[in-house]
Coordinates of all heavy atoms in Angstrom, one line a residue:
M1 N 117.6 113.5 119.6 CA 116.9 113.4 118.3 C 117.7 112.3 117.5 O 118.9 112.3 117.5 CB 117.0 114.8 117.6 CG 116.2 114.8 116.3 SD 116.2 116.4 115.5 CE 115.3 117.4 116.7
T2 N 116.9 111.5 116.9 CA 117.5 110.4 116.1 C 118.0 111.0 114.8 O 117.5 111.9 114.2 CB 116.4 109.4 115.8 OG1 115.8 108.9 117.0 CG2 116.9 108.2 115.0
T3 N 119.1 110.4 114.3 CA 119.7 110.7 113.0 C 118.7 110.3 111.9 O 118.2 109.2 111.9 CB 121.0 110.1 112.8 OG1 121.9 110.4 113.9 CG2 121.6 110.5 111.5
R4 N 118.5 111.3 111.0 CA 117.7 111.0 109.8 C 118.6 110.3 108.7 O 119.7 110.7 108.4 CB 117.1 112.2 109.2 CG 116.2 112.9 110.2 CD 115.6 114.2 109.5 NE 114.9 114.9 110.5 CZ 114.4 116.1 110.2 NH1 114.5 116.6 109.0 NH2 113.7 116.7 111.1
N5 N 118.0 109.2 108.2 CA 118.8 108.5 107.1 C 118.3 108.8 105.8 O 118.8 108.3 104.8 CB 118.7 107.0 107.4 CG 119.5 106.6 108.7 OD1 120.6 107.2 109.0 ND2 119.0 105.7 109.4
H6 N 117.2 109.5 105.6 CA 116.6 109.8 104.3 C 117.4 110.9 103.6 O 118.1 111.7 104.3 CB 115.1 110.1 104.4 CG 114.8 111.4 105.2 ND1 115.0 112.6 104.6 CD2 114.4 111.6 106.4 CE1 114.6 113.5 105.5 NE2 114.3 112.9 106.6
T7 N 117.2 111.0 102.4 CA 117.8 112.1 101.6 C 117.2 113.4 102.1 O 115.9 113.6 102.2 CB 117.5 112.0 100.1 OG1 118.0 110.7 99.7 CG2 118.1 113.1 99.3
P8 N 118.0 114.4 102.5 CA 117.4 115.7 102.9 C 116.6 116.4 101.9 O 116.8 116.2 100.7 CB 118.6 116.5 103.3 CG 119.8 115.7 103.1 CD 119.4 114.4 102.4
G9 N 115.6 117.1 102.3 CA 114.7 117.9 101.4 C 115.5 119.1 101.0 O 116.6 119.4 101.4
P10 N 114.9 119.9 100.1 CA 113.6 119.6 99.5 C 113.7 118.5 98.4 O 114.7 118.3 97.8 CB 113.2 120.9 98.9 CG 114.5 121.6 98.5 CD 115.5 121.1 99.6
W11 N 112.6 117.8 98.3 CA 112.4 116.9 97.2 C 111.6 117.6 96.1 O 110.6 118.3 96.4 CB 111.7 115.6 97.6 CG 112.5 114.7 98.5 CD1 113.8 115.0 99.0 CD2 112.1 113.5 99.1 NE1 114.2 113.9 99.8 CE2 113.2 113.0 99.9 CE3 111.0 112.7 99.1 CZ2 113.1 111.8 100.6 CZ3 110.9 111.6 99.8 CH2 112.0 111.1 100.6
I12 N 111.9 117.3 94.9 CA 111.3 118.1 93.8 C 110.4 117.1 93.0 O 110.9 116.0 92.6 CB 112.3 118.7 92.9 CG1 113.2 119.7 93.7 CG2 111.7 119.4 91.7 CD1 114.5 120.1 93.1
F13 N 109.2 117.4 92.8 CA 108.3 116.7 91.9 C 108.7 116.9 90.5 O 108.8 118.0 90.0 CB 106.9 117.1 92.2 CG 105.9 116.6 91.2 CD1 105.5 115.3 91.4 CD2 105.3 117.4 90.3 CE1 104.5 114.7 90.5 CE2 104.3 116.9 89.4 CZ 103.9 115.5 89.5
D14 N 109.0 115.8 89.8 CA 109.5 115.9 88.4 C 108.4 115.4 87.5 O 108.3 114.2 87.2 CB 110.8 115.0 88.3 CG 111.3 115.0 86.9 OD1 110.9 115.9 86.0 OD2 112.2 114.1 86.6
A15 N 107.6 116.3 87.0 CA 106.4 115.9 86.2 C 106.9 115.3 84.8 O 106.1 114.6 84.2 CB 105.6 117.2 85.9
Q16 N 108.1 115.6 84.4 CA 108.6 115.1 83.2 C 109.3 113.7 83.4 O 109.7 113.1 82.4 CB 109.6 116.1 82.5 CG 109.0 117.4 82.3 CD 107.7 117.3 81.4 OE1 107.7 116.6 80.4 NE2 106.7 118.0 81.8
N17 N 109.5 113.3 84.6 CA 110.2 112.1 84.9 C 111.6 112.1 84.2 O 112.0 111.1 83.6 CB 109.4 110.8 84.6 CG 110.0 109.6 85.2 OD1 110.8 109.6 86.1 ND2 109.6 108.4 84.6
S18 N 112.3 113.2 84.2 CA 113.5 113.3 83.5 C 114.7 112.7 84.2 O 115.7 112.4 83.6 CB 113.8 114.8 83.2 OG 113.9 115.5 84.5
G19 N 114.6 112.3 85.4 CA 115.7 111.9 86.2 C 115.9 110.4 86.2 O 117.0 109.9 86.5
I20 N 114.9 109.6 85.8 CA 115.0 108.1 86.0 C 115.0 107.4 84.7 O 116.0 106.8 84.2 CB 113.9 107.6 86.9 CG1 114.1 108.1 88.3 CG2 113.9 106.1 86.9 CD1 113.2 107.6 89.3
N21 N 113.9 107.3 84.0 CA 113.7 106.5 82.9 C 112.5 107.0 82.1 O 111.9 108.0 82.4 CB 113.5 105.0 83.3 CG 112.4 104.9 84.3 OD1 111.4 105.4 84.2 ND2 112.7 104.1 85.4
S22 N 112.1 106.2 81.1 CA 111.0 106.6 80.3 C 109.7 105.9 80.7 O 108.7 106.0 80.0 CB 111.3 106.3 78.8 OG 111.5 104.9 78.7
D23 N 109.6 105.3 81.9 CA 108.4 104.6 82.3 C 107.3 105.7 82.5 O 107.6 106.8 82.9 CB 108.7 103.9 83.7 CG 109.5 102.7 83.5 OD1 109.7 102.2 82.3 OD2 110.1 102.2 84.5
P24 N 106.1 105.3 82.3 CA 105.0 106.2 82.6 C 104.9 106.5 84.1 O 104.9 105.6 84.9 CB 103.8 105.5 82.1 CG 104.1 104.1 82.1 CD 105.6 104.0 81.9
G25 N 105.0 107.7 84.5 CA 104.9 108.1 85.9 C 105.7 109.4 86.1 O 106.0 110.1 85.2
W26 N 105.9 109.7 87.4 CA 106.6 110.9 87.7 C 107.7 110.6 88.7 O 107.6 109.7 89.5 CB 105.6 111.9 88.4 CG 104.5 112.2 87.5 CD1 104.5 113.2 86.5 CD2 103.2 111.7 87.5 NE1 103.3 113.2 85.9 CE2 102.5 112.3 86.5 CE3 102.6 110.7 88.2 CZ2 101.2 112.0 86.2 CZ3 101.2 110.4 88.0 CH2 100.6 111.0 86.9
G27 N 108.8 111.3 88.5 CA 110.0 111.1 89.3 C 110.1 112.1 90.4 O 109.4 113.1 90.5
L28 N 111.0 111.8 91.4 CA 111.4 112.6 92.5 C 112.8 112.9 92.4 O 113.7 112.0 92.2 CB 111.0 112.0 93.8 CG 109.5 111.8 93.9 CD1 109.2 110.9 95.2 CD2 108.7 113.1 94.0
L29 N 113.2 114.2 92.6 CA 114.6 114.6 92.5 C 115.0 115.3 93.8 O 114.2 115.8 94.6 CB 114.8 115.6 91.4 CG 114.2 115.3 90.0 CD1 114.3 116.4 89.0 CD2 114.9 114.0 89.5
N30 N 116.3 115.3 94.1 CA 116.8 116.0 95.3 C 117.0 117.4 94.9 O 116.7 117.9 93.8 CB 118.1 115.3 95.8 CG 119.3 115.4 94.9 OD1 119.3 116.2 94.0 ND2 120.3 114.6 95.2
A31 N 117.5 118.2 95.8 CA 117.7 119.7 95.6 C 118.7 120.0 94.5 O 118.6 121.0 93.9 CB 118.1 120.3 96.9
D32 N 119.6 119.0 94.2 CA 120.5 119.2 93.1 C 120.0 118.7 91.8 O 120.7 118.7 90.8 CB 121.8 118.5 93.4 CG 122.5 119.0 94.6 OD1 122.4 120.3 94.9 OD2 123.1 118.2 95.4
G33 N 118.7 118.3 91.7 CA 118.1 117.8 90.5 C 118.5 116.4 90.1 O 118.3 116.0 89.0
E34 N 119.1 115.7 91.1 CA 119.4 114.3 90.9 C 118.3 113.4 91.3 O 117.6 113.6 92.3 CB 120.7 113.9 91.6 CG 121.9 114.8 91.3 CD 123.0 114.6 92.3 OE1 122.8 114.3 93.4 OE2 124.2 114.9 91.9
S35 N 118.1 112.3 90.6 CA 117.1 111.3 90.9 C 117.2 110.7 92.3 O 118.3 110.4 92.7 CB 117.1 110.2 89.9 OG 116.1 109.2 90.2
L36 N 116.1 110.6 93.0 CA 116.0 109.9 94.2 C 115.8 108.4 94.0 O 115.8 107.6 95.0 CB 114.9 110.4 95.1 CG 115.0 111.8 95.6 CD1 113.7 112.2 96.4 CD2 116.2 112.0 96.5
G37 N 115.7 108.0 92.8 CA 115.4 106.6 92.5 C 114.0 106.2 92.7 O 113.7 105.0 92.9
I38 N 113.1 107.1 92.7 CA 111.7 106.9 93.0 C 110.9 107.3 91.8 O 111.0 108.5 91.4 CB 111.2 107.6 94.3 CG1 112.0 107.2 95.5 CG2 109.7 107.4 94.5 CD1 111.8 108.1 96.7
T39 N 110.1 106.5 91.3 CA 109.1 106.8 90.3 C 107.7 106.4 90.7 O 107.6 105.2 91.2 CB 109.4 106.2 88.9 OG1 110.7 106.5 88.5 CG2 108.4 106.6 87.9
V40 N 106.8 107.3 90.7 CA 105.4 106.9 91.0 C 104.7 106.6 89.7 O 104.6 107.4 88.8 CB 104.7 108.0 91.7 CG1 103.2 107.6 92.0 CG2 105.4 108.4 93.0
H41 N 104.3 105.3 89.6 CA 103.7 104.8 88.3 C 102.2 104.8 88.5 O 101.6 104.9 89.6 CB 104.1 103.4 88.0 CG 105.6 103.3 87.8 ND1 106.2 103.5 86.6 CD2 106.6 103.0 88.6 CE1 107.5 103.4 86.6 NE2 107.7 103.0 87.9
W42 N 101.5 104.7 87.4 CA 100.1 104.5 87.4 C 99.7 103.3 86.5 O 100.5 103.0 85.6 CB 99.2 105.7 87.1 CG 99.3 106.1 85.6 CD1 98.5 105.7 84.6 CD2 100.2 107.0 85.0 NE1 98.8 106.2 83.4 CE2 99.9 107.0 83.6 CE3 101.3 107.7 85.4 CZ2 100.6 107.8 82.7 CZ3 102.0 108.5 84.5 CH2 101.7 108.5 83.1
D43 N 98.6 102.7 86.8 CA 98.2 101.6 86.0 C 96.7 101.6 85.9 O 96.0 102.5 86.4 CB 98.7 100.2 86.5 CG 98.3 99.9 87.9 OD1 97.2 100.4 88.3 OD2 99.0 99.2 88.6
R44 N 96.1 100.6 85.4 CA 94.7 100.5 85.2 C 93.9 100.5 86.6 O 92.7 100.8 86.6 CB 94.3 99.3 84.4 CG 94.8 99.4 83.0 CD 94.3 98.2 82.2 NE 95.0 98.3 80.9 CZ 95.6 97.2 80.3 NH1 95.6 96.1 80.9 NH2 96.2 97.4 79.2
R45 N 94.6 100.1 87.7 CA 93.9 100.0 88.9 C 93.7 101.4 89.6 O 92.9 101.5 90.5 CB 94.6 99.1 89.9 CG 94.6 97.6 89.4 CD 95.5 96.8 90.2 NE 96.8 97.1 89.9 CZ 97.9 96.6 90.4 NH1 97.8 95.7 91.4 NH2 99.1 97.0 90.0
S46 N 94.5 102.4 89.2 CA 94.3 103.7 89.8 C 94.3 104.7 88.7 O 94.8 104.5 87.7 CB 95.5 104.0 90.8 OG 96.7 104.0 90.1
S47 N 93.7 105.8 89.0 CA 93.6 106.9 88.1 C 94.9 107.7 88.0 O 95.7 107.7 88.9 CB 92.4 107.8 88.4 OG 92.8 108.6 89.5
T48 N 95.1 108.3 86.9 CA 96.2 109.2 86.7 C 96.2 110.3 87.7 O 97.3 110.6 88.3 CB 96.2 109.8 85.3 OG1 96.2 108.7 84.3 CG2 97.4 110.6 85.0
D49 N 95.1 110.8 88.0 CA 95.0 111.9 89.0 C 95.4 111.4 90.4 O 96.1 112.1 91.1 CB 93.5 112.4 89.1 CG 93.1 113.2 87.9 OD1 93.9 113.6 87.1 OD2 91.9 113.3 87.8
T50 N 95.1 110.2 90.8 CA 95.5 109.6 92.1 C 97.0 109.4 92.1 O 97.6 109.8 93.1 CB 94.8 108.3 92.3 OG1 93.4 108.5 92.4 CG2 95.2 107.7 93.6
A51 N 97.6 108.9 91.1 CA 99.0 108.7 91.0 C 99.8 110.0 91.0 O 100.8 110.1 91.7 CB 99.4 107.9 89.8
Y52 N 99.2 111.0 90.3 CA 99.8 112.3 90.3 C 99.8 112.9 91.7 O 100.8 113.5 92.2 CB 99.0 113.2 89.4 CG 99.6 114.6 89.2 CD1 100.6 114.8 88.2 CD2 99.1 115.7 89.9 CE1 101.0 116.1 88.0 CE2 99.5 116.9 89.7 CZ 100.5 117.2 88.7 OH 101.0 118.5 88.5
A53 N 98.7 112.8 92.4 CA 98.5 113.3 93.8 C 99.5 112.6 94.7 O 100.1 113.2 95.6 CB 97.1 113.2 94.3
N54 N 99.6 111.3 94.6 CA 100.6 110.5 95.4 C 102.0 110.9 95.2 O 102.7 111.1 96.2 CB 100.4 109.0 95.1 CG 99.2 108.4 95.5 OD1 98.4 108.9 96.3 ND2 98.8 107.2 95.0
A55 N 102.4 111.2 94.0 CA 103.7 111.7 93.7 C 104.0 113.0 94.4 O 105.1 113.2 94.9 CB 104.0 111.7 92.2
R56 N 103.1 113.9 94.3 CA 103.2 115.2 94.9 C 103.3 115.1 96.4 O 104.1 115.8 97.1 CB 102.1 116.2 94.5 CG 102.2 116.4 93.0 CD 101.4 117.6 92.5 NE 101.7 118.8 93.1 CZ 102.7 119.7 92.7 NH1 103.4 119.4 91.7 NH2 102.9 120.8 93.4
L57 N 102.5 114.2 97.0 CA 102.5 114.0 98.5 C 103.9 113.4 98.9 O 104.5 113.9 99.9 CB 101.4 113.1 98.9 CG 101.3 112.7 100.4 CD1 101.1 114.0 101.2 CD2 100.2 111.7 100.6
I58 N 104.4 112.5 98.2 CA 105.7 111.9 98.5 C 106.8 113.0 98.4 O 107.7 113.1 99.2 CB 106.0 110.7 97.5 CG1 105.1 109.6 97.8 CG2 107.5 110.3 97.7 CD1 105.1 108.5 96.8
A59 N 106.7 113.9 97.4 CA 107.7 114.9 97.2 C 107.7 115.9 98.4 O 108.7 116.5 98.8 CB 107.4 115.7 95.9
A60 N 106.5 116.1 99.0 CA 106.4 117.0 100.2 C 106.8 116.3 101.5 O 106.9 117.0 102.5 CB 104.9 117.4 100.3
A61 N 107.1 115.0 101.5 CA 107.4 114.3 102.7 C 108.4 114.9 103.6 O 108.2 115.1 104.8 CB 107.7 112.8 102.4
P62 N 109.6 115.3 103.1 CA 110.6 115.9 104.0 C 110.1 117.2 104.7 O 110.4 117.5 105.9 CB 111.8 116.2 103.1 CG 111.6 115.3 102.0 CD 110.2 115.1 101.8
D63 N 109.4 118.0 103.9 CA 108.9 119.3 104.5 C 107.8 119.0 105.5 O 107.8 119.7 106.6 CB 108.3 120.2 103.4 CG 109.4 120.6 102.3 OD1 110.5 120.8 102.7 OD2 109.0 120.7 101.2
L64 N 106.9 118.0 105.3 CA 105.9 117.7 106.2 C 106.5 117.1 107.5 O 106.1 117.4 108.6 CB 104.9 116.6 105.6 CG 104.1 117.2 104.4 CD1 103.4 116.0 103.7 CD2 103.1 118.2 105.0
L65 N 107.5 116.3 107.4 CA 108.2 115.7 108.5 C 108.8 116.8 109.4 O 108.6 116.8 110.6 CB 109.3 114.7 108.1 CG 110.2 114.1 109.2 CD1 109.3 113.2 110.1 CD2 111.3 113.3 108.5
A66 N 109.5 117.8 108.8 CA 110.1 118.8 109.5 C 109.1 119.7 110.2 O 109.2 120.1 111.4 CB 111.0 119.7 108.6
A67 N 108.0 120.0 109.5 CA 106.9 120.8 110.1 C 106.3 120.1 111.2 O 106.0 120.8 112.3 CB 105.9 121.2 109.0
L68 N 106.0 118.8 111.1 CA 105.3 118.1 112.2 C 106.2 118.1 113.4 O 105.8 118.2 114.5 CB 105.0 116.7 111.7 CG 104.3 115.8 112.8 CD1 103.0 116.4 113.3 CD2 104.1 114.4 112.3
Q69 N 107.5 117.9 113.2 CA 108.4 117.8 114.4 C 108.5 119.1 115.1 O 108.4 119.2 116.3 CB 109.9 117.4 113.9 CG 110.8 117.4 115.1 CD 110.5 116.3 116.1 OE1 110.2 115.2 115.8 NE2 110.5 116.7 117.4
R70 N 108.5 120.2 114.4 CA 108.6 121.6 115.0 C 107.3 121.9 115.7 O 107.2 122.4 116.8 CB 108.9 122.6 114.0 CG 110.3 122.6 113.5 CD 110.6 123.8 112.7 NE 110.5 125.0 113.5 CZ 111.3 126.1 113.3 NH1 112.1 126.1 112.3 NH2 111.1 127.1 114.1
L71 N 106.2 121.5 115.0 CA 104.8 121.8 115.6 C 104.6 120.9 116.9 O 104.2 121.4 117.9 CB 103.8 121.5 114.6 CG 102.3 121.8 115.0 CD1 102.1 123.2 115.4 CD2 101.4 121.4 113.9
R72 N 105.0 119.7 116.8 CA 104.9 118.8 118.0 C 105.7 119.3 119.2 O 105.3 119.4 120.3 CB 105.4 117.4 117.6 CG 105.2 116.4 118.7 CD 106.4 115.4 118.8 NE 106.2 114.6 120.0 CZ 106.6 115.0 121.2 NH1 107.1 116.1 121.4 NH2 106.4 114.2 122.2
D73 N 107.0 119.7 118.9 CA 107.8 120.3 120.0 C 107.2 121.5 120.6 O 107.2 121.7 121.8 CB 109.2 120.5 119.5 CG 110.0 119.3 119.1 OD1 109.5 118.2 119.5 OD2 111.0 119.4 118.5
A74 N 106.7 122.4 119.7 CA 106.1 123.7 120.2 C 104.9 123.4 121.1 O 104.7 124.0 122.1 CB 105.8 124.6 119.1
V75 N 104.0 122.5 120.6 CA 102.8 122.2 121.3 C 103.1 121.6 122.6 O 102.5 121.9 123.7 CB 101.8 121.4 120.5 CG1 100.7 120.8 121.3 CG2 101.3 122.2 119.3
Q76 N 104.0 120.6 122.6 CA 104.4 119.9 123.9 C 105.0 120.9 124.9 O 104.7 120.8 126.1 CB 105.4 118.8 123.6 CG 105.7 118.0 124.9 CD 106.6 116.8 124.6 OE1 107.4 116.9 123.7 NE2 106.5 115.8 125.4
T77 N 105.8 121.9 124.4 CA 106.4 122.8 125.3 C 105.3 123.8 125.9 O 105.3 124.1 127.1 CB 107.4 123.7 124.6 OG1 108.5 122.8 124.1 CG2 108.0 124.7 125.5
A78 N 104.3 124.2 125.1 CA 103.3 125.1 125.5 C 102.2 124.5 126.3 O 101.5 125.1 127.1 CB 102.7 125.8 124.3
H79 N 102.0 123.2 126.2 CA 100.9 122.5 126.9 C 101.2 122.2 128.3 O 102.3 121.6 128.6 CB 100.6 121.2 126.2 CG 99.4 120.4 126.7 ND1 98.1 121.0 126.8 CD2 99.2 119.2 127.1 CE1 97.3 120.2 127.3 NE2 97.9 119.0 127.5
V80 N 100.4 122.7 129.2 CA 100.7 122.6 130.6 C 99.8 121.5 131.3 O 99.7 121.5 132.5 CB 100.5 124.0 131.4 CG1 101.6 124.9 131.0 CG2 99.1 124.5 131.1
G81 N 99.3 120.6 130.5 CA 98.5 119.5 131.1 C 99.4 118.6 131.9 O 100.6 118.9 132.1
G82 N 98.9 117.5 132.2 CA 99.7 116.5 132.9 C 99.0 115.7 133.9 O 99.5 114.6 134.3
D83 N 97.8 116.1 134.3 CA 97.1 115.2 135.2 C 96.4 114.1 134.5 O 96.4 114.1 133.2 CB 96.1 116.0 136.1 CG 95.0 116.6 135.3 OD1 94.7 116.2 134.2 OD2 94.4 117.6 135.8
E84 N 95.8 113.1 135.2 CA 95.3 112.0 134.5 C 94.1 112.3 133.6 O 94.0 111.7 132.5 CB 94.8 111.0 135.6 CG 95.9 110.4 136.4 CD 95.4 109.4 137.4 OE1 94.1 109.1 137.4 OE2 96.2 109.0 138.3
R85 N 93.3 113.3 133.9 CA 92.3 113.8 133.0 C 92.8 114.3 131.7 O 92.1 114.2 130.7 CB 91.4 114.8 133.7 CG 90.6 114.3 134.8 CD 89.9 115.4 135.5 NE 90.9 116.4 136.0 CZ 90.7 117.6 136.2 NH1 89.5 118.1 136.1 NH2 91.6 118.5 136.6
C86 N 93.9 114.9 131.7 CA 94.5 115.6 130.5 C 95.0 114.5 129.5 O 95.1 114.9 128.3 CB 95.6 116.5 130.9 SG 96.2 117.5 129.5
N87 N 95.2 113.3 129.9 CA 95.8 112.3 129.0 C 94.9 112.1 127.8 O 95.4 111.8 126.7 CB 95.9 111.0 129.8 CG 96.8 110.0 129.0 OD1 97.7 110.4 128.3 ND2 96.5 108.8 129.1
D88 N 93.6 112.4 127.9 CA 92.7 112.2 126.8 C 92.2 113.5 126.2 O 91.3 113.6 125.4 CB 91.4 111.4 127.2 CG 91.8 110.0 127.6 OD1 92.7 109.4 126.9 OD2 91.2 109.4 128.5
C89 N 92.8 114.7 126.6 CA 92.4 115.9 126.0 C 92.9 116.0 124.5 O 93.7 115.2 124.1 CB 93.0 117.1 126.8 SG 94.7 117.5 126.5
A90 N 92.3 116.9 123.8 CA 92.6 117.0 122.3 C 94.1 117.2 122.1 O 94.7 116.7 121.1 CB 91.8 118.1 121.7
V91 N 94.7 118.0 122.9 CA 96.2 118.3 122.7 C 97.0 117.0 123.0 O 97.9 116.7 122.2 CB 96.6 119.4 123.7 CG1 98.1 119.6 123.6 CG2 95.9 120.7 123.3
C92 N 96.7 116.3 124.1 CA 97.5 115.1 124.3 C 97.2 114.0 123.3 O 98.2 113.3 122.9 CB 97.1 114.5 125.7 SG 97.8 115.5 127.1
V93 N 96.0 113.9 122.8 CA 95.7 112.9 121.8 C 96.4 113.3 120.5 O 97.0 112.4 119.8 CB 94.2 112.8 121.5 CG1 93.9 112.0 120.3 CG2 93.5 112.2 122.7
S94 N 96.5 114.6 120.2 CA 97.2 115.0 119.0 C 98.7 114.8 119.1 O 99.3 114.4 118.1 CB 96.9 116.5 118.7 OG 95.5 116.7 118.5
L95 N 99.2 115.0 120.3 CA 100.7 114.7 120.5 C 101.0 113.2 120.3 O 102.0 112.9 119.7 CB 101.1 115.2 121.9 CG 101.3 116.7 122.1 CD1 101.5 117.0 123.5 CD2 102.4 117.2 121.2
K96 N 100.1 112.4 120.8 CA 100.3 110.9 120.6 C 100.2 110.6 119.1 O 101.0 109.7 118.6 CB 99.2 110.1 121.3 CG 99.4 110.2 122.8 CD 98.3 109.5 123.5 CE 98.3 109.7 125.0 NZ 97.2 109.1 125.7
L97 N 99.3 111.2 118.3 CA 99.2 110.9 116.9 C 100.5 111.4 116.2 O 101.0 110.7 115.3 CB 98.0 111.6 116.3 CG 96.6 111.0 116.7 CD1 95.5 111.9 116.2 CD2 96.5 109.6 116.1
A98 N 101.0 112.6 116.6 CA 102.2 113.1 116.0 C 103.4 112.2 116.3 O 104.2 111.9 115.4 CB 102.5 114.5 116.5
D99 N 103.5 111.7 117.5 CA 104.5 110.8 117.9 C 104.5 109.5 117.1 O 105.5 109.0 116.6 CB 104.5 110.4 119.4 CG 105.0 111.6 120.3 OD1 105.7 112.5 119.8 OD2 104.6 111.6 121.5
A100 N 103.3 109.0 116.9 CA 103.1 107.8 116.1 C 103.5 108.0 114.6 O 104.2 107.1 114.0 CB 101.6 107.3 116.2
A101 N 103.1 109.1 114.1 CA 103.5 109.4 112.7 C 105.0 109.6 112.6 O 105.7 109.1 111.6 CB 102.8 110.7 112.2
L102 N 105.7 110.2 113.5 CA 107.1 110.4 113.5 C 107.8 109.1 113.7 O 108.8 108.8 113.0 CB 107.5 111.4 114.6 CG 107.1 112.9 114.3 CD1 107.3 113.7 115.6 CD2 107.9 113.5 113.2
S103 N 107.3 108.2 114.5 CA 107.9 106.9 114.7 C 107.8 106.1 113.4 O 108.7 105.3 113.0 CB 107.2 106.1 115.8 OG 107.5 106.7 117.0
K104 N 106.6 106.2 112.7 CA 106.4 105.5 111.5 C 107.4 105.9 110.4 O 107.8 105.2 109.6 CB 104.9 105.7 111.0 CG 104.5 104.9 109.8 CD 103.1 105.1 109.5 CE 102.7 104.3 108.3 NZ 101.2 104.5 108.0
A105 N 107.7 107.2 110.5 CA 108.7 107.7 109.5 C 110.1 107.4 109.9 O 111.1 107.9 109.3 CB 108.5 109.2 109.4
A106 N 110.3 106.6 111.0 CA 111.6 106.2 111.5 C 112.4 107.4 111.9 O 113.6 107.5 111.6 CB 112.3 105.3 110.5
Y107 N 111.8 108.4 112.4 CA 112.4 109.6 112.8 C 113.3 109.4 114.1 O 113.0 108.7 115.0 CB 111.4 110.7 113.1 CG 112.0 112.0 113.3 CD1 112.5 112.8 112.3 CD2 112.1 112.5 114.6 CE1 113.0 114.0 112.5 CE2 112.6 113.8 114.8 CZ 113.1 114.5 113.8 OH 113.7 115.7 114.0

């Protein structure tokens, strides 16, 4: 397993943006309430609702990463496929998607 270089979760959605600055947007904090140095801003090109949803999704990233890794490992262990026909089955395709997402996260 590759070493993770990101700040460990949980990450906390800071609706008050109390950890960074007074810019319009929402901040993300670590488990100790310290700023991660991330603020999700909004502007005229996107709605406030979209920016708010983006901030909450980013805050969930460490939990989503851990859940995907565990689920991927469990499915791979339980899946007894392996012949050439199985390469395109829903389980194998899903495992490939999970691997791609984990690689994208530099896991």
Side-chain angles (χ1 to χ4, degrees):
M1 187 179 293
T2 304
T3 302
R4 296 180 187 176
N5 293 323
H6 65 78
T7 302
W11 290 359
I12 301 162
F13 171 73
D14 180 14
Q16 303 302 315
N17 195 19
S18 58
I20 293 183
N21 52 45
S22 60
D23 290 342
W26 300 280
L28 298 169
L29 309 174
N30 66 17
D32 296 326
E34 300 166 336
S35 172
L36 291 176
I38 300 169
T39 303
V40 178
H41 299 276
W42 72 89
D43 59 28
R44 294 182 189 134
R45 293 173 289 178
S46 64
S47 72
T48 302
D49 291 342
T50 299
Y52 184 86
N54 290 343
R56 295 192 61 86
L57 179 60
I58 293 167
D63 298 327
L64 292 169
L65 178 63
L68 179 60
Q69 180 62 48
R70 288 188 67 149
L71 183 59
R72 187 221 171 274
D73 291 347
V75 169
Q76 184 176 30
T77 299
H79 185 54
V80 290
D83 63 22
E84 291 178 11
R85 292 174 301 158
C86 187
N87 195 34
D88 292 326
C89 77
V91 174
C92 288
V93 170
S94 296
L95 287 170
K96 289 176 189 175
L97 291 171
D99 286 340
L102 291 166
S103 293
K104 188 175 181 180
Y107 186 78

